[in-house]
Amino acid sequence: MDWPISEVARMSGVTARTLRHYDEIGLLPPARIGSNGHRYYEEHQLLLLQQILVLRELGVGLPEIGRVLADQVDTVEALRGHHRRLLAERDRLDALAGTVSRTIAELEQSGRDGRPMTAINRPENLFEGVQPAQYEGNLRDFPGLAEEAGRRAAAMTPAEVEPGQRERTALMIRLAEHMAGGAPAGAEPVQAEIDAQYRALTSLHAVSADEYRAIGRLCVENADWRAAYEAIAPGLAEFQRDAIEDYAVSRLG
């Protein structure tokens, strides 16, 4: 039995555009192409797609996924490995949930006794379980951008990756400070931060105004992104989205 690309897109939640991109880069060729030019997928391709999506959720770039799939011999053993990584990710999300819960409690305590929150909790504890690098891992609807981000990440050592992660976290904190200070999303200091984000993205791949708006919406709609923002400050995901929308309108047209 096989399924047309539209049905695979419906079942998996992956856009047909992304599936076509996976075919074009040799990651997931269809089982066949019909006389109508449509791609059709069989069970083997669905299993591969499942592995691709699991690895993407774990933050693995497309080039590395291609190498993993090319090297694997035993599908069951490969799935066991993915399962172990998913359990580790579950533990990370549990830690993130604990971080947010602890921050809520400490903010409430700070409001009652007037002490700064950082006097109660070491500042670095605010970021337990937060991984800003997942930003790249969830660009599934922007395959060109995701592929280039993954390619660069795969070529970097952990020591080279860490400064970028710290800067992304610092940028999120600066946005939270602007938001807490009452600055609107369109304020110049906020827009300067958004401009830095946009320039970082376009250094990887061209990003249109509509695509940047869509990325802004993902800050709210994507569970991983929203969790990362909300772990820093409640409402930050919406603030980032609104700031990107303002930037796209005022500077990108």
Side-chain angles (χ1 to χ4, degrees):
M1 181 177 180
D2 58 20
W3 296 267
I5 189 171
S6 58
E7 182 65 11
V8 174
R10 184 194 66 78
M11 292 188 295
S12 66
V14 176
T15 64
R17 182 179 71 170
T18 297
L19 290 170
R20 287 191 291 270
H21 178 70
Y22 288 169
D23 179 18
E24 290 164 2
I25 64 174
L27 188 62
L28 184 67
R32 67 182 180 89
I33 296 180
S35 58
N36 56 6
H38 293 174
R39 293 166 171 82
Y40 290 85
Y41 299 79
E42 296 179 352
E43 181 179 284
H44 175 67
Q45 284 74 38
L46 296 188
L47 288 170
L48 286 177
L49 178 59
Q50 182 198 54
Q51 291 190 63
I52 291 168
L53 297 183
V54 167
L55 290 169
R56 295 297 283 141
E57 289 294 334
L58 291 169
V60 181
L62 293 180
E64 179 62 22
I65 290 174
R67 289 190 287 271
V68 169
L69 295 181
D71 292 343
Q72 78 179 28
V73 176
D74 187 333
T75 300
V76 173
E77 185 55 37
L79 288 172
R80 286 196 181 103
H82 302 335
H83 185 242
R84 288 191 293 269
R85 295 180 70 175
L86 286 168
L87 291 177
E89 177 66 4
R90 181 193 63 187
D91 292 342
R92 185 191 71 81
L93 290 173
D94 285 345
L96 179 58
T99 296
V100 175
S101 177
R102 186 170 60 246
T103 301
I104 291 170
E106 290 170 354
L107 282 169
E108 291 174 341
Q109 180 64 35
S110 175
R112 286 192 293 268
D113 61 23
R115 284 192 298 161
M117 191 183 72
T118 51
I120 304 171
N121 186 12
R122 295 172 61 204
E124 57 267 31
N125 289 347
L126 288 171
F127 310 110
E128 182 182 354
V130 179
Q131 292 182 353
Q134 286 198 336
Y135 184 79
E136 290 89 348
N138 284 287
L139 291 171
R140 187 179 299 157
D141 289 333
F142 310 93
L145 185 59
E147 181 182 5
E148 180 59 21
R151 186 188 67 79
R152 294 197 186 187
M156 297 172 73
T157 67
E160 292 171 328
V161 170
E162 185 177 356
Q165 292 181 345
R166 288 185 177 275
E167 174 53 28
R168 283 187 289 274
T169 301
L171 188 148
M172 293 162 76
I173 293 171
R174 291 194 298 270
L175 282 177
E177 290 172 345
H178 290 310
M179 181 182 71
E188 182 54 36
V190 176
Q191 290 298 295
E193 299 289 357
I194 299 301
D195 181 63
Q197 286 184 349
Y198 182 72
R199 291 178 184 277
L201 285 175
T202 54
S203 71
L204 299 174
H205 194 275
V207 178
S208 69
D210 286 342
E211 287 174 328
Y212 199 35
R213 286 190 182 95
I215 289 172
R217 291 192 295 272
L218 282 178
C219 295
V220 174
E221 297 168 3
N222 181 282
D224 288 334
W225 292 16
R226 186 181 184 95
Y229 282 101
E230 296 300 296
I232 291 176
L236 185 58
E238 285 85 357
F239 188 74
Q240 167 87 16
R241 176 201 60 198
D242 295 345
I244 287 178
E245 177 64 27
D246 192 282
Y247 181 90
V249 170
S250 63
R251 304 199 188 189
L252 302 181

